[in-house]
Amino acid sequence: MKKKFLILSALLSFFSLPTFAKAGFEFGLGSGYVFYGDKATRDKNDLLSDINQIVLATDAAFLIPANDYVIFSLGGDGVFDLRWHGSDHIYLIDYAFLAGFRVYPNFGGLYASIDYALGRRSDFYSIENKDSSESTKWGNGFKIGIGYDFSYHLNSIAPEIFASLKSMPRGGTRDTLFCVSLKLTKHK
């Protein structure tokens, strides 16, 4: 049985090499807003009254073309909700592994995407010299998006504008993350 599995794995790897040889990539930075579903998280965030806040969204993916209209993607993203006031701070870091596809309806570089997301959130608090950290359980969610890819018909690196909505369950609650980003993308 092991020998059959190894032979099958070797054949699949061999036949998928041309597909991966045509793979592209993307990397993006942006910002957004997070709607926290857990009341305990919202209450902890309210502990800092007059705060400074930055929400930084990052993502990276490999793009594997199936044909001219469908591209599979494998990657990950992170949303860093950083809040501070003086020496007190709250850092909420959402991260996920993504697998999905994009559909280009032949309107230039316009596309729609949907991804399966496997992720969690890690929280770090330091308020009045009391430090704590905790992480949610891993959850299965999804990410939908729409974008315009200027590199779609080019063979060079070009910018891409992307907006997404990610819904992530958190063990009885659900966080919703809305992000807009500017990416650098290269096909083939």
Side-chain angles (χ1 to χ4, degrees):
M1 187 66 170
K2 285 184 179 182
K3 191 180 259 187
K4 288 180 183 178
F5 180 74
L6 289 174
I7 291 171
L8 180 61
S9 297
L11 285 172
L12 287 174
S13 297
F14 176 75
F15 286 115
S16 65
L17 282 176
T19 300
F20 284 106
K22 294 180 182 177
F25 65 88
E26 70 179 12
F27 174 77
L29 289 173
S31 188
Y33 189 80
V34 182
F35 300 94
Y36 295 103
D38 184 23
K39 184 174 179 349
T41 301
R42 291 192 309 264
D43 290 344
K44 285 182 182 179
N45 291 343
D46 290 340
L47 293 175
L48 292 182
S49 58
D50 184 24
I51 64 167
N52 301 301
Q53 181 180 15
I54 294 175
V55 177
L56 177 64
T58 65
D59 65 88
F62 288 104
L63 305 173
I64 305 161
N67 57 39
D68 288 340
Y69 304 105
V70 177
I71 294 177
F72 294 101
S73 62
L74 295 170
D77 72 0
V79 177
F80 304 85
D81 185 355
L82 311 173
R83 304 161 185 243
W84 71 94
H85 179 75
S87 62
D88 296 335
H89 65 263
I90 299 172
Y91 301 149
L92 306 163
I93 303 170
D94 180 274
Y95 44 96
F97 299 102
L98 304 170
F101 61 92
R102 297 175 170 188
V103 176
Y104 289 81
N106 206 19
F107 296 125
L110 183 69
Y111 70 90
S113 69
I114 187 162
D115 290 285
Y116 163 76
L118 173 64
R120 67 189 245 178
R121 191 185 73 233
S122 294
D123 305 339
F124 304 93
Y125 296 93
S126 178
I127 299 173
E128 297 176 356
N129 295 323
K130 295 178 184 173
D131 297 339
S132 68
S133 64
E134 55 192 47
S135 293
T136 64
K137 293 182 179 182
W138 287 90
N140 299 298
F142 65 91
K143 180 177 180 179
I144 57 173
I146 188 164
Y148 194 87
D149 183 354
F150 292 95
S151 74
Y152 181 60
H153 296 294
L154 304 174
N155 194 15
S156 64
I157 296 176
E160 175 183 325
I161 300 167
F162 183 68
S164 67
L165 180 71
K166 184 167 75 169
S167 179
M168 289 300 299
R170 302 288 184 210
T173 66
R174 181 176 301 273
D175 290 349
T176 304
L177 302 92
F178 174 74
C179 296
V180 176
S181 61
L182 180 62
K183 300 182 182 189
L184 288 179
T185 304
K186 182 175 187 323
H187 291 277
K188 301 174 190 173

